[in-house]
Amino acid sequence: MENQSYVKFQTPDVLEKDCLDLVENSFRNGKIKKGTNEVIKSIERGESKIVIISEDVSPPEVVFYLPTLCDERKVPYAYVKKKADLGSRVGIASSASISIVDYGKSADLFNKIVGEISKLKK
């Protein structure tokens, strides 16, 4: 699949797995927001700790604005290749984006991911 215009950097496979693990752990022990409208609200309200965006969203306009909004609000974000992978971690068929509002007991994993993302964006 060709790279979508909203994908600002490539997420390595190891980091993608960590992101999916963090999403699942946060879904079970913390708090997440599913769906682009809820994700946007959580970013704008300052609740979002990190945003995970799917690369295979169609049409891309659904999530096109998320990376820019995250950068403006200084919210870290990463990408996963498939929305089905992201959705399966939170008990739904697919998800274009997820905002982690509370990562529960996964602080170490969260900090590791944020550190890796900041290296990728430089």
Side-chain angles (χ1 to χ4, degrees):
M1 176 186 294
E2 69 188 53
N3 204 6
Q4 297 284 14
S5 59
Y6 60 86
V7 178
K8 308 284 188 213
F9 57 87
Q10 284 304 118
T11 304
D13 291 344
V14 174
L15 182 57
E16 180 177 344
K17 183 194 175 304
D18 286 344
C19 289
L20 289 169
D21 288 346
L22 181 65
V23 166
E24 186 172 6
N25 292 345
S26 300
F27 175 63
R28 296 189 190 292
N29 304 311
K31 189 174 179 187
I32 63 160
K33 297 288 184 178
K34 305 180 266 199
T36 304
N37 288 339
E38 290 297 316
V39 169
I40 290 170
K41 284 186 222 170
S42 75
I43 296 166
E44 289 177 339
R45 291 176 182 154
E47 300 170 342
S48 184
K49 304 284 189 264
I50 186 170
V51 173
I52 311 298
I53 306 166
S54 300
E55 291 182 9
D56 64 342
V57 177
S58 181
E61 290 78 19
V62 173
V63 294
F64 185 83
Y65 181 62
L66 285 179
T68 305
L69 182 61
C70 286
D71 285 337
E72 286 172 3
R73 301 294 176 115
K74 297 185 176 25
V75 175
Y77 61 93
Y79 302 97
V80 295
K81 288 172 187 57
K82 297 184 176 139
K83 59 187 177 188
D85 291 345
L86 191 54
S88 70
R89 297 296 182 109
V90 296
I92 57 178
S94 67
S95 182
S97 59
I98 292 205
S99 169
I100 295 176
V101 177
D102 177 7
Y103 44 77
K105 298 175 182 147
S106 302
D108 291 344
L109 183 57
F110 170 78
N111 291 327
K112 175 185 172 195
I113 290 169
V114 170
E116 292 294 319
I117 291 168
S118 64
K119 288 180 197 169
L120 288 171
K121 289 175 75 176
K122 287 184 180 172

